[in-house]
Amino acid sequence: MSPLPSWRGELVHGLAGRGDVRWAVADLRGVVEEARVRHDLSPVAAAALGRALSGAALLMFLSTRAWARLVLEVRGDGPLGTVVAEIDDAGNLRGFVGNPRVETAAGEGLGIAAAIGRGVLKVRRESPRWGSFESQVELVTGEIGLDLAHYLEQSEQTRSAVLLGVLARPEGVAAAGGMLVELLPDAREEAIAPLERNLRALEGVSRRLEQGGLPALAEAVLAGLDHDELGRQPLRFNCRCHRDELLGKLRLLPPGDRDELVAASGEIVAECAFCGQLYRFAATELAPG
């Protein structure tokens, strides 16, 4: 696969309502567009993966702990199958969907909930310091944003709103990203009331991002509240797959399995599920060293 341009995104996080509200907003248009190209995603598949990638980024950088990696997995019984998004502490994102070419019937829109179906949402966090922690909840809508808010309420007892949107067209991703707002314990009514009012009035997360980027979405959600920016994090699509690592795994296969894989062409062609990169291995490379 020829190298793709390093399309990037950005996440901004901060406090609002005199410290009663934590928030993060992310623009992943470039990241999701690269994922769409690499995996040849249909619009509904691009929208589902884009929401998962956006949700993973927001969870990662609004966490109270410094995790090394976060994996978000949506596993449903719909035609998309599994949707997986992964991010590390440097802002490197990657992901895939089980069926990248799912299409929806004409006139039905993207149909993300129907494409995902019923199932579970899992979040795994990893750190050299704290180890690995995984928890899951049943999907309540399949739209991913509301499911993440349900996850935060059930797993972390956090009141939050998770707004995710992807504007995916046949010719490419026009906008992608979202915002997470979280009420801190003992949040005052003067912070809660305007936030709830703004959320009820908000329409079209992806179109807000398309028209005005991160500032437009943040201002719409936080209108009437003082808000301060605490940090920014660059985001990019970047897979950590490596040829030597994959070769080591192939060498561990039983000899009969290796021989069967190379019998037809004299080589093994392996594709990374996360980025679509193809790796070719000649039969002579596969013998254990």
Side-chain angles (χ1 to χ4, degrees):
M1 177 179 295
S2 60
L4 291 170
S6 185
W7 292 316
R8 295 179 180 269
E10 186 176 39
L11 180 145
V12 181
H13 64 92
L15 293 173
R18 290 191 290 171
D20 285 345
V21 178
R22 299 171 67 228
W23 59 271
V25 60
D27 185 344
L28 278 82
R29 190 204 71 80
V31 173
V32 179
E33 174 63 5
E34 181 160 355
R36 183 193 70 83
V37 172
R38 285 183 174 274
H39 295 298
D40 189 24
L41 300 175
S42 67
V44 68
L49 181 57
R51 289 188 185 187
L53 289 168
S54 301
L58 293 168
L59 285 181
M60 180 72 168
F61 291 104
L62 207 61
S63 175
T64 56
R65 287 187 175 183
W67 298 99
R69 182 175 293 109
L70 183 146
V71 181
L72 187 157
E73 178 181 339
V74 178
R75 186 180 294 274
D77 61 4
L80 269 179
T82 301
V83 183
V84 176
E86 179 183 304
I87 185 168
D88 66 19
D89 54 4
N92 296 307
L93 285 143
R94 64 179 190 167
F96 67 89
V97 299
N99 185 353
R101 297 303 304 160
V102 166
E103 299 289 353
T104 53
E108 294 184 358
L110 290 179
I112 293 174
I116 289 175
R118 295 176 298 178
V120 297
L121 180 149
K122 298 180 182 180
V123 176
R124 185 173 74 252
R125 294 178 169 94
E126 301 172 0
S127 166
R129 180 177 179 182
W130 298 299
S132 177
F133 296 87
E134 180 176 293
S135 54
Q136 73 175 46
V137 295
E138 289 189 8
L139 294 172
V140 292
T141 68
E143 297 286 348
I144 301 181
L146 290 174
D147 297 301
L148 281 172
H150 175 63
Y151 163 81
L152 289 170
E153 182 179 9
Q154 295 296 312
S155 298
E156 302 182 13
Q157 292 74 55
T158 299
R159 291 184 295 167
S160 63
V162 184
L163 314 169
L164 305 175
V166 176
L167 189 56
R169 300 188 175 112
E171 65 273 14
V173 175
M179 187 166 184
L180 192 162
V181 289
E182 177 183 303
L183 292 174
L184 295 180
D186 302 319
R188 294 164 296 117
E189 180 60 26
E190 51 262 44
I192 298 174
L195 184 60
E196 290 181 338
R197 184 171 60 251
N198 295 339
L199 290 172
R200 286 194 299 268
L202 183 67
E203 295 182 1
V205 171
S206 57
R207 294 196 180 277
R208 182 79 63 167
L209 284 168
E210 181 188 30
Q211 295 166 5
L214 295 180
L217 181 56
E219 290 297 330
V221 174
L222 301 176
L225 295 171
D226 65 283
H227 50 280
D228 300 309
E229 177 186 318
L230 298 182
R232 289 176 175 256
Q233 175 64 51
L235 304 171
R236 64 173 180 160
F237 187 101
N238 185 40
C239 189
R240 56 189 175 86
C241 65
H242 195 279
R243 189 180 191 279
D244 290 344
E245 181 179 355
L246 183 54
L247 178 59
K249 293 179 179 179
L250 290 174
R251 285 173 172 170
L252 295 177
L253 291 174
D257 292 346
R258 290 201 307 270
D259 294 342
E260 183 177 347
L261 289 171
V262 302
S265 62
E267 65 176 3
I268 290 179
V269 180
E271 179 179 357
C272 175
F274 282 96
C275 69
Q277 178 66 50
L278 293 177
Y279 295 96
R280 297 180 180 275
F281 302 94
T284 54
E285 298 180 85
L286 300 175

